[in-house]
Amino acid sequence: MFAIIQRFFNFCNKENRRKFNLAIAVGVVNSFFMALRIAAVAVMIQGVIASLKDGVSFSANTIYLSLGIMAFSLLGAIITKKNVTMWQTEGGYRTAANKRIEIAEHLRYIPMGYFNENSLGQITSVTTNTMELLGDVATRAVMMVMQGLLDSALIIAMILFFDWRIALIALSGFALFQFVNIFMRLSVRSVSAQKDKADTKQVSKILEYIQGIAEVRAYNLTGVHRTELNSVIDECRDACLKMELRCIPIAAVQSLVAKFSGVAILLASLYFYLNGTMLLSNCAVMLICSFMLFSAMESGGNYSALLRIIDIAVKKAEAILAVPTMDIDGRERPAEQGKTHLVSFAPNGSLPTPKTPELTAQNITFSYDKKKIIDGVTLTIPPKTTCAIVGPSGGGKTTLCHLLSRFWDVDLGEVTLAGKNVRDYDMDSLMENFSFVFQSVYLFHDTIANNIRFGQSDAPMEKVIEAAKKASCHDFISALPDGYDTVIGEGGASLSGGEKQRISIARAIMKDAPIIILDEATANVDPENERDLMTAISELTKEKTVIMIAHRLKTVRNADQILVIDKGRIAEQGKHEELVNLGGIYARFIDSRKKAVSWKL
């Protein structure tokens, strides 16, 4: 139990851990104030017994003393409980918020292959359900268990002050209670893992169902997929019920142990009084203590079953944070003299953004899941030139672009930017060199203006409008009811494909990076939008280095160089005319495109 609590505290950052430590420290004081009620009751009982025994009137001073102790106990308990609750609440919710941010920052620097191996549902489950559990349930459970232990310990200490024999009975009952508690946590270990797995599976299936609802309805598979979703939800329900059913019998035994401990204290106190070894006043106080101890023990015990779930939740979050990131800090090396693009380090040791960088790859190799995707590729892309990448599907075109922009790290060889290995740049300064326009555009549930200025929240509206005009999207944005303040659906669901694509180009124009990567940017655009889109791309790529993956002839033929990628290698390389005359893969590609264009209905 203490190991789980310690793991939870270590999981919190320094500031939040300080709040929890304060909560525990003040919780000890709170327990002391709560235990003072025993003293108040003892004073009153002793006064009553003394008055009856001596036949004198009940002393007002005794009443005032008892009420004073009780008032002091109550006031202190209220103040300390308020502070304890505030600190544990702040610590819990801030821990959840900070860990969400930490996980998000960590995911930025994890190789892209991680997201192929780990489902979106798992990551979503950790950042939502798991963090919610830690922020709310975990904090309350940990603090209630700790408070229950503290209250029980101080009550037993107070009992020891009156009679060591009763204290020994109370301590034995407390030990038996903790033994049953340990057995309960062990019994729910396997069920807790099943519940956690079911939660993750449920989130994953719900996301899959929502994201694929269009295809499900289009193929009239609503009932089939709803059955699958219902099955996963039922599985999660069954796991929760199984855990509760596993806990209930043991919790009942635990409650009986607490009650019998109180009964044992009560009977022992009466026995000791009747045989003359305990004062009547002490006996009466012990009877009250038996109920207080029972309440304190149950207060902590009722939440202890949740500790196992808390432990799993913390381990899940730690597992994501433990995934190795790419080397994002860079290494300080002096700039090489004599290069066309001289690079000097900024005061903080990071490489500054080069104005006209040359991008090269020397004999790079990359494998994914033991399958070689890129095999010994060497290329040079001079500044302000256009490089088109074509080839059969699955040949490695997109992977090559990801390696050039360091979405992944190469296994062998090196990628250099302005004469420096891309590993020598810190990740943020490296990304300042690249802008991306993908075939599948993702827009955020926010205003159009904020989507365009994404990453530059302080950019003035004039710059946003200027970028939109260059991307040929100002007119349709202005025609919307709220213009640039129009809130679009998540993923840009309320816009057409061409409109989303042009907004993503406006975003790239705002970034003004020296290298532009276009991954099938015009593949799914209808003819009506194509002209505007090509105009937007023309504005984006002015005076830039352009790397494009394309299947359309007119977007390829004017490139300064064309790379034909097949089975992870550069099969052909050159200009359009040169490759056509070779009569190889590229020539066949061009011929098939010409035949496709000539088809008419």
Side-chain angles (χ1 to χ4, degrees):
M1 177 173 65
F2 290 107
I4 294 175
I5 294 173
Q6 185 62 49
R7 177 187 286 274
F8 174 73
F9 286 162
N10 291 340
F11 181 73
C12 306
N13 63 22
K14 185 177 180 180
E15 177 60 25
N16 294 321
R17 191 158 55 245
R18 186 181 70 84
K19 290 181 183 295
F20 285 126
N21 289 334
L22 280 172
I24 292 173
V26 177
V28 175
V29 179
N30 176 262
S31 297
F32 170 76
F33 280 118
M34 297 293 286
L36 277 179
R37 292 176 297 176
I38 299 174
V41 171
V43 169
M44 183 65 73
I45 290 174
Q46 287 174 354
V48 171
I49 293 175
S51 64
L52 292 174
K53 181 178 180 181
D54 299 334
V56 297
S57 60
F58 192 71
S59 173
N61 291 333
T62 302
I63 297 175
Y64 294 147
L65 178 60
S66 178
L67 288 177
I69 295 174
M70 185 65 75
F72 180 67
S73 170
L74 184 62
L75 182 62
I78 291 173
I79 294 173
T80 53
K81 185 63 176 178
K82 178 251 184 187
N83 286 314
V84 167
T85 303
M86 287 300 299
W87 282 325
Q88 75 181 45
T89 301
E90 287 181 8
Y93 285 119
R94 289 182 185 275
T95 292
N98 292 341
K99 286 301 175 180
R100 283 190 178 104
I101 295 171
E102 186 178 346
I103 289 172
E105 286 294 310
H106 188 76
L107 291 175
R108 289 176 58 197
Y109 304 114
I110 291 176
M112 292 294 291
Y114 172 83
F115 301 99
N116 293 328
E117 296 170 355
N118 297 270
S119 69
L120 180 61
Q122 180 181 354
I123 299 172
T124 304
S125 178
V126 171
T127 53
T128 54
N129 293 355
T130 302
M131 290 301 107
E132 185 70 22
L133 174 69
L134 290 176
D136 190 4
V137 179
T139 303
R140 186 170 290 106
V142 168
M143 297 309 298
M144 288 298 292
V145 169
M146 291 295 295
Q147 194 65 48
L149 291 173
L150 290 173
D151 288 346
S152 300
L154 279 174
I155 290 172
I156 293 173
M158 291 291 288
I159 292 174
L160 181 62
F161 177 78
F162 288 95
D163 193 293
W164 67 268
R165 297 167 299 178
I166 302 299
L168 189 61
I169 295 171
L171 188 61
S172 300
F174 180 75
L176 182 59
F177 182 89
Q178 293 304 317
F179 176 78
V180 177
N181 191 269
I182 291 171
F183 179 74
M184 179 168 62
R185 291 200 305 274
L186 291 175
S187 67
V188 300
R189 175 179 293 179
S190 60
V191 184
S192 299
Q194 292 174 19
K195 180 184 179 300
D196 178 71
K197 185 177 180 180
D199 283 341
T200 300
K201 191 175 179 180
Q202 178 178 247
V203 172
S204 180
K205 183 58 69 173
I206 290 173
L207 285 172
E208 178 186 299
Y209 185 81
I210 294 172
Q211 291 172 340
I213 191 66
E215 285 75 14
V216 170
R217 293 182 64 181
Y219 287 92
N220 197 27
L221 295 173
T222 307
V224 175
H225 280 261
R226 191 175 64 186
T227 301
E228 293 178 2
L229 178 61
N230 290 346
S231 175
V232 171
I233 294 173
D234 289 344
E235 182 180 340
C236 188
R237 176 205 62 197
D238 293 341
C240 293
L241 287 173
K242 185 177 181 181
M243 182 172 178
E244 290 298 322
L245 293 173
R246 183 73 63 86
C247 288
I248 288 172
I250 305 175
V253 173
Q254 185 175 250
S255 180
L256 285 174
V257 169
K259 289 181 173 66
F260 281 132
S261 298
V263 171
I265 291 173
L266 187 150
L267 293 176
S269 299
L270 290 174
Y271 173 77
F272 293 143
Y273 166 69
L274 292 174
N275 69 14
T277 59
M278 178 182 286
L279 296 174
L280 178 60
S281 59
N282 288 359
C283 178
V285 171
M286 291 302 98
L287 298 184
I288 295 172
C289 286
S290 67
F291 290 100
M292 293 180 65
L293 180 61
F294 155 69
S295 177
M297 288 167 62
E298 280 214 322
S299 176
N302 289 338
Y303 285 89
S304 60
L306 293 173
L307 292 180
R308 179 60 191 168
I309 297 179
I310 295 168
D311 192 39
I312 292 175
V314 170
K315 287 178 179 178
K316 283 177 64 177
E318 288 178 337
I320 292 181
L321 293 172
V323 175
T325 60
M326 295 187 294
D327 180 13
I328 60 176
D329 296 325
R331 299 181 297 275
E332 291 193 15
R333 296 194 321 182
E336 297 178 22
Q337 302 297 325
K339 292 285 185 182
T340 304
H341 309 289
L342 183 63
V343 180
S344 59
F345 281 88
N348 63 0
S350 64
L351 287 166
T353 302
K355 293 182 179 179
T356 54
E358 180 178 78
L359 187 61
T360 68
Q362 279 98 36
N363 197 31
I364 61 173
T365 298
F366 175 76
S367 298
Y368 176 68
D369 279 348
K370 299 181 180 180
K371 179 182 178 182
K372 188 168 287 187
I373 309 297
I374 298 297
D375 186 9
V377 169
T378 297
L379 59 87
T380 298
I381 303 176
K384 299 181 181 180
T385 64
T386 299
C387 175
I389 302 177
V390 300
S393 178
K397 303 184 294 297
T398 298
T399 300
L400 178 59
C401 288
H402 285 167
L403 293 173
L404 293 175
S405 55
R406 209 192 170 197
F407 276 26
W408 287 298
D409 276 330
V410 297
D411 297 332
L412 296 173
E414 68 172 4
V415 176
T416 65
L417 179 68
K420 295 290 181 183
N421 193 311
V422 292
R423 296 174 188 259
D424 292 335
Y425 293 83
D426 69 74
M427 185 59 73
D428 291 333
S429 66
L430 177 66
M431 285 298 104
E432 289 177 5
N433 292 277
F434 295 93
S435 284
F436 304 87
V437 180
F438 298 108
Q439 178 180 348
S440 298
V441 177
Y442 189 87
L443 300 179
F444 296 91
H445 183 67
D446 203 342
T447 64
I448 290 178
N450 286 340
N451 268 280
I452 292 175
R453 62 159 68 97
F454 180 70
Q456 305 176 64
S457 57
D458 57 345
M461 196 63 200
E462 293 78 12
K463 292 289 186 183
V464 173
I465 294 174
E466 181 184 353
K469 287 180 177 179
K470 289 181 178 180
S472 299
C473 55
H474 175 72
D475 290 341
F476 85 77
I477 293 174
S478 300
L480 295 171
D482 296 320
Y484 284 86
D485 292 326
T486 301
V487 176
I488 56 179
E490 185 178 348
S494 57
L495 300 175
S496 70
E499 290 169 343
K500 289 193 292 185
Q501 198 69 277
R502 278 178 277 162
I503 288 176
S504 74
I505 291 174
R507 179 192 292 169
I509 290 173
M510 280 283 292
K511 186 176 182 182
D512 195 28
I515 300 174
I516 311 296
I517 295 181
L518 306 172
D519 188 351
E520 299 282 7
T522 62
N524 295 328
V525 179
D526 53 80
E528 290 78 10
N529 279 296
E530 185 174 4
R531 184 186 64 182
D532 290 336
L533 186 58
M534 295 308 296
T535 301
I537 290 176
S538 178
E539 285 291 335
L540 171 64
T541 57
K542 279 182 179 178
E543 299 297 311
K544 308 288 187 183
T545 300
V546 181
I547 304 170
M548 64 168 67
I549 299 175
H551 288 155
R552 297 195 178 190
L553 176 58
K554 54 187 170 184
T555 59
V556 174
R557 66 185 310 154
N558 295 323
D560 296 294
Q561 67 169 321
I562 300 169
L563 304 178
V564 181
I565 305 297
D566 183 29
K567 297 179 182 178
R569 294 176 174 270
I570 297 180
E572 298 173 3
Q573 182 175 4
K575 290 182 176 292
H576 172 74
E577 293 78 7
E578 297 170 350
L579 297 180
V580 169
N581 292 333
L582 281 177
I585 297 175
Y586 183 78
R588 293 193 295 272
F589 163 77
I590 295 300
D591 185 56
S592 64
R593 291 298 178 271
K594 287 181 178 178
K595 289 180 180 179
V597 171
S598 67
W599 275 53
K600 293 182 180 180
L601 293 177

